[in-house]
Structures are given as structure tokens and as C-alpha cells.
Amino acid sequence: MSSPLPRSPDRSPRTAAALWTGAAVVASVVLLVLVAVRWPPLMSLDRAVADALHRHAVADPGLVRVNRLLTDWVWDPWTMRALIAVAVVALWWRGARLLALWVAATSLLASLLQQGLKAVVGRERPQWPDPVDTAQYAAFPSGHAMSAVVSCGLLVWLLRLYGAGPGARGAALAVAVVSAAGVAATRLYLGVHWLTDVVGGALLGVAVVALSAAGYARYAAPRAPAEEDRPLRA
């Protein structure tokens, strides 16, 4: 009897991560192209969602105030950058200076990418005769959504990198998901973004964090000093 065929090896975590990274990048690029060419079905969806939410916002000033508090303070891009700055300082103090620089550079590059795409796409924000909030610069991608996903994603990645327990990682991931969904909802409700703006910002944020983590594992981690391998927990 012939020997059985060898079983295919299970897909490694690294391969799965590469697939997720590729999917995020492809989805980001596809949505970017569709928005740039103003694909009619997508534009119609954006308009329908924006109109429905704006009618509700005009009729509920109290909820508008709550959303403005959340978007201007809790999930403001500068709040997110402040969290990253704290993480960078903590990493530097622990001696993980290459990783600190890597995180800081990722956050900075994400901000530059966001502003560059806004300038290239040049999409106008929703216009209302009775606006409940205002915002500057172009619409796509949403800076709030992208900053929240990049900042929270980097913090979740750092917890995993330093061997935080499953409870801490799960709690951090839950906070990251709530933050990403919450900031997207506030920008839509306040009528300063289209649906595809916040989806595009979130997808780009996922892609940036995934590419940064993959790049660090491949190029920077092997060169990092031993201090960077020290776990966070005591």
C-alpha cells in the first residue's frame, strides 16, 4: 500500500496576518478609487445615509451636544496622538528606543498620508442649509476615524508585542473597536462626513497599523536591543 499523502501544514499566524494585511490594503485602495471616480451607487448610498442622519440630528439638539463632546474631546485626533505620545515616552524610558521611534514614525506617516489623500481626492463635505456642526479640510478620508484606528491599533499591537495577558488584550481590543465605531458614528451624525469617508479612514488605519507591525517584525525587531524584548508586566 502506498503511504498516505503528507498533510498540509496549518496556516501560520504570520501567513494569516499577511492575508489580513493584504485584504485591508486592497479594500482601502478599491474604496479610494471608487470615491475618487465618484461611483454613482456609492455616492447615492452616501447621500441617503447623510440625509437620514441629518434629519434626526436637527430634531435632537441634546444628542448633537453629546456627539460633539465625544468627537471634540474623547476621540479627537489630538487626544489619540497624545495617547501615542505617552506610549512613545514610556517605551523610550524603558530603553525600547527603536520601537519608540517606530511607533512615532507610524503615527506621523499616517497623519501625512491622511492629509495627502485629502488633498489628492479633494472631496467636499456634506453641505446643509441648517448645519449642526462644521469641519475644515477635505472629506476623504476621515481624519478622526483614521487617527482613532491607527492610535488604538498601535496600542493593541504594543500590548501583544510585550506579552500582555489575554484579558488585557481583549479589553484593549474592545476599547479600540468601540472607539473606531464611536468616532465614525459621531462624524456621520454631525453631518461633517460621508459614510465612505469614515469607512475609508478606518480601512486605511487598519492597513497602516498592519503594515507597520509587519515591517517591524521583518526589519526592525531582529536589530532591536535586548531591552525591547522585556515584557510589560512585572
PDB file of all heavy atoms in Angstrom, residues 137-155:
ATOM      1  N   TYR A 137     -11.115  71.386   5.908  1.00  0.00           N
ATOM      2  CA  TYR A 137     -10.366  70.500   5.020  1.00  0.00           C
ATOM      3  C   TYR A 137     -11.305  69.561   4.244  1.00  0.00           C
ATOM      4  O   TYR A 137     -12.518  69.572   4.451  1.00  0.00           O
ATOM      5  CB  TYR A 137      -9.312  69.697   5.789  1.00  0.00           C
ATOM      6  CG  TYR A 137      -8.438  70.548   6.666  1.00  0.00           C
ATOM      7  CD1 TYR A 137      -8.494  70.438   8.053  1.00  0.00           C
ATOM      8  CD2 TYR A 137      -7.568  71.498   6.120  1.00  0.00           C
ATOM      9  CE1 TYR A 137      -7.697  71.236   8.871  1.00  0.00           C
ATOM     10  CE2 TYR A 137      -6.765  72.295   6.931  1.00  0.00           C
ATOM     11  CZ  TYR A 137      -6.837  72.162   8.301  1.00  0.00           C
ATOM     12  OH  TYR A 137      -6.059  72.955   9.103  1.00  0.00           O
ATOM     13  N   ALA A 138     -10.710  68.803   3.355  1.00  0.00           N
ATOM     14  CA  ALA A 138     -11.490  67.899   2.508  1.00  0.00           C
ATOM     15  C   ALA A 138     -12.017  66.726   3.325  1.00  0.00           C
ATOM     16  O   ALA A 138     -11.603  66.487   4.462  1.00  0.00           O
ATOM     17  CB  ALA A 138     -10.629  67.408   1.345  1.00  0.00           C
ATOM     18  N   ALA A 139     -12.934  65.973   2.708  1.00  0.00           N
ATOM     19  CA  ALA A 139     -13.692  64.965   3.465  1.00  0.00           C
ATOM     20  C   ALA A 139     -13.030  63.594   3.520  1.00  0.00           C
ATOM     21  O   ALA A 139     -13.088  62.922   4.551  1.00  0.00           O
ATOM     22  CB  ALA A 139     -15.098  64.823   2.869  1.00  0.00           C
ATOM     23  N   PHE A 140     -12.432  63.144   2.426  1.00  0.00           N
ATOM     24  CA  PHE A 140     -11.947  61.764   2.364  1.00  0.00           C
ATOM     25  C   PHE A 140     -10.424  61.713   2.457  1.00  0.00           C
ATOM     26  O   PHE A 140      -9.740  62.392   1.708  1.00  0.00           O
ATOM     27  CB  PHE A 140     -12.380  61.111   1.047  1.00  0.00           C
ATOM     28  CG  PHE A 140     -12.022  59.645   0.971  1.00  0.00           C
ATOM     29  CD1 PHE A 140     -12.932  58.686   1.362  1.00  0.00           C
ATOM     30  CD2 PHE A 140     -10.782  59.231   0.516  1.00  0.00           C
ATOM     31  CE1 PHE A 140     -12.616  57.329   1.299  1.00  0.00           C
ATOM     32  CE2 PHE A 140     -10.451  57.888   0.455  1.00  0.00           C
ATOM     33  CZ  PHE A 140     -11.376  56.938   0.851  1.00  0.00           C
ATOM     34  N   PRO A 141      -9.914  60.850   3.358  1.00  0.00           N
ATOM     35  CA  PRO A 141     -10.593  60.031   4.362  1.00  0.00           C
ATOM     36  C   PRO A 141     -10.846  60.824   5.634  1.00  0.00           C
ATOM     37  O   PRO A 141     -10.266  61.892   5.835  1.00  0.00           O
ATOM     38  CB  PRO A 141      -9.583  58.921   4.618  1.00  0.00           C
ATOM     39  CG  PRO A 141      -8.254  59.603   4.450  1.00  0.00           C
ATOM     40  CD  PRO A 141      -8.460  60.610   3.344  1.00  0.00           C
ATOM     41  N   SER A 142     -11.708  60.282   6.503  1.00  0.00           N
ATOM     42  CA  SER A 142     -11.974  60.934   7.773  1.00  0.00           C
ATOM     43  C   SER A 142     -10.723  60.894   8.651  1.00  0.00           C
ATOM     44  O   SER A 142     -10.205  59.819   8.976  1.00  0.00           O
ATOM     45  CB  SER A 142     -13.124  60.229   8.496  1.00  0.00           C
ATOM     46  OG  SER A 142     -13.182  60.619   9.847  1.00  0.00           O
ATOM     47  N   GLY A 143     -10.249  62.082   9.035  1.00  0.00           N
ATOM     48  CA  GLY A 143      -9.078  62.135   9.903  1.00  0.00           C
ATOM     49  C   GLY A 143      -9.363  61.594  11.289  1.00  0.00           C
ATOM     50  O   GLY A 143      -8.508  60.945  11.900  1.00  0.00           O
ATOM     51  N   HIS A 144     -10.565  61.859  11.800  1.00  0.00           N
ATOM     52  CA  HIS A 144     -10.933  61.339  13.113  1.00  0.00           C
ATOM     53  C   HIS A 144     -10.924  59.811  13.119  1.00  0.00           C
ATOM     54  O   HIS A 144     -10.365  59.174  14.026  1.00  0.00           O
ATOM     55  CB  HIS A 144     -12.321  61.839  13.519  1.00  0.00           C
ATOM     56  CG  HIS A 144     -12.336  63.222  14.088  1.00  0.00           C
ATOM     57  ND1 HIS A 144     -12.091  64.340  13.322  1.00  0.00           N
ATOM     58  CD2 HIS A 144     -12.582  63.678  15.353  1.00  0.00           C
ATOM     59  CE1 HIS A 144     -12.168  65.427  14.078  1.00  0.00           C
ATOM     60  NE2 HIS A 144     -12.470  65.056  15.316  1.00  0.00           N
ATOM     61  N   ALA A 145     -11.561  59.216  12.111  1.00  0.00           N
ATOM     62  CA  ALA A 145     -11.646  57.754  12.057  1.00  0.00           C
ATOM     63  C   ALA A 145     -10.270  57.124  11.875  1.00  0.00           C
ATOM     64  O   ALA A 145      -9.920  56.154  12.561  1.00  0.00           O
ATOM     65  CB  ALA A 145     -12.572  57.320  10.924  1.00  0.00           C
ATOM     66  N   MET A 146      -9.461  57.688  10.985  1.00  0.00           N
ATOM     67  CA  MET A 146      -8.145  57.111  10.723  1.00  0.00           C
ATOM     68  C   MET A 146      -7.235  57.260  11.935  1.00  0.00           C
ATOM     69  O   MET A 146      -6.516  56.318  12.306  1.00  0.00           O
ATOM     70  CB  MET A 146      -7.522  57.762   9.501  1.00  0.00           C
ATOM     71  CG  MET A 146      -6.235  57.113   9.040  1.00  0.00           C
ATOM     72  SD  MET A 146      -5.701  57.754   7.432  1.00  0.00           S
ATOM     73  CE  MET A 146      -4.115  56.896   7.272  1.00  0.00           C
ATOM     74  N   SER A 147      -7.263  58.424  12.593  1.00  0.00           N
ATOM     75  CA  SER A 147      -6.412  58.640  13.765  1.00  0.00           C
ATOM     76  C   SER A 147      -6.787  57.694  14.901  1.00  0.00           C
ATOM     77  O   SER A 147      -5.911  57.149  15.584  1.00  0.00           O
ATOM     78  CB  SER A 147      -6.530  60.091  14.245  1.00  0.00           C
ATOM     79  OG  SER A 147      -6.055  60.988  13.271  1.00  0.00           O
ATOM     80  N   ALA A 148      -8.088  57.486  15.097  1.00  0.00           N
ATOM     81  CA  ALA A 148      -8.528  56.596  16.171  1.00  0.00           C
ATOM     82  C   ALA A 148      -8.084  55.164  15.915  1.00  0.00           C
ATOM     83  O   ALA A 148      -7.599  54.473  16.822  1.00  0.00           O
ATOM     84  CB  ALA A 148     -10.047  56.660  16.320  1.00  0.00           C
ATOM     85  N   VAL A 149      -8.247  54.700  14.671  1.00  0.00           N
ATOM     86  CA  VAL A 149      -7.872  53.321  14.355  1.00  0.00           C
ATOM     87  C   VAL A 149      -6.357  53.137  14.441  1.00  0.00           C
ATOM     88  O   VAL A 149      -5.868  52.135  14.991  1.00  0.00           O
ATOM     89  CB  VAL A 149      -8.388  52.927  12.963  1.00  0.00           C
ATOM     90  CG1 VAL A 149      -7.834  51.570  12.532  1.00  0.00           C
ATOM     91  CG2 VAL A 149      -9.918  52.880  12.961  1.00  0.00           C
ATOM     92  N   VAL A 150      -5.594  54.074  13.918  1.00  0.00           N
ATOM     93  CA  VAL A 150      -4.130  53.965  13.971  1.00  0.00           C
ATOM     94  C   VAL A 150      -3.643  53.982  15.420  1.00  0.00           C
ATOM     95  O   VAL A 150      -2.839  53.132  15.829  1.00  0.00           O
ATOM     96  CB  VAL A 150      -3.473  55.095  13.167  1.00  0.00           C
ATOM     97  CG1 VAL A 150      -1.968  55.150  13.444  1.00  0.00           C
ATOM     98  CG2 VAL A 150      -3.710  54.887  11.674  1.00  0.00           C
ATOM     99  N   SER A 151      -4.122  54.931  16.202  1.00  0.00           N
ATOM    100  CA  SER A 151      -3.649  55.060  17.588  1.00  0.00           C
ATOM    101  C   SER A 151      -4.044  53.854  18.430  1.00  0.00           C
ATOM    102  O   SER A 151      -3.203  53.265  19.116  1.00  0.00           O
ATOM    103  CB  SER A 151      -4.199  56.344  18.208  1.00  0.00           C
ATOM    104  OG  SER A 151      -3.766  57.478  17.484  1.00  0.00           O
ATOM    105  N   CYS A 152      -5.316  53.491  18.382  1.00  0.00           N
ATOM    106  CA  CYS A 152      -5.766  52.335  19.160  1.00  0.00           C
ATOM    107  C   CYS A 152      -5.128  51.047  18.657  1.00  0.00           C
ATOM    108  O   CYS A 152      -4.759  50.172  19.444  1.00  0.00           O
ATOM    109  CB  CYS A 152      -7.286  52.230  19.120  1.00  0.00           C
ATOM    110  SG  CYS A 152      -8.150  53.584  19.954  1.00  0.00           S
ATOM    111  N   GLY A 153      -4.992  50.935  17.342  1.00  0.00           N
ATOM    112  CA  GLY A 153      -4.367  49.739  16.778  1.00  0.00           C
ATOM    113  C   GLY A 153      -2.921  49.585  17.210  1.00  0.00           C
ATOM    114  O   GLY A 153      -2.468  48.480  17.534  1.00  0.00           O
ATOM    115  N   LEU A 154      -2.180  50.681  17.232  1.00  0.00           N
ATOM    116  CA  LEU A 154      -0.788  50.619  17.681  1.00  0.00           C
ATOM    117  C   LEU A 154      -0.692  50.217  19.150  1.00  0.00           C
ATOM    118  O   LEU A 154       0.189  49.431  19.531  1.00  0.00           O
ATOM    119  CB  LEU A 154      -0.110  51.973  17.464  1.00  0.00           C
ATOM    120  CG  LEU A 154       0.244  52.340  16.023  1.00  0.00           C
ATOM    121  CD1 LEU A 154       0.740  53.776  15.949  1.00  0.00           C
ATOM    122  CD2 LEU A 154       1.283  51.381  15.448  1.00  0.00           C
ATOM    123  N   LEU A 155      -1.605  50.740  19.968  1.00  0.00           N
ATOM    124  CA  LEU A 155      -1.569  50.392  21.389  1.00  0.00           C
ATOM    125  C   LEU A 155      -1.906  48.918  21.605  1.00  0.00           C
ATOM    126  O   LEU A 155      -1.270  48.240  22.430  1.00  0.00           O
ATOM    127  CB  LEU A 155      -2.542  51.287  22.162  1.00  0.00           C
ATOM    128  CG  LEU A 155      -2.184  52.776  22.183  1.00  0.00           C
ATOM    129  CD1 LEU A 155      -3.273  53.576  22.876  1.00  0.00           C
ATOM    130  CD2 LEU A 155      -0.829  53.011  22.853  1.00  0.00           C
TER     131      LEU A 155
END
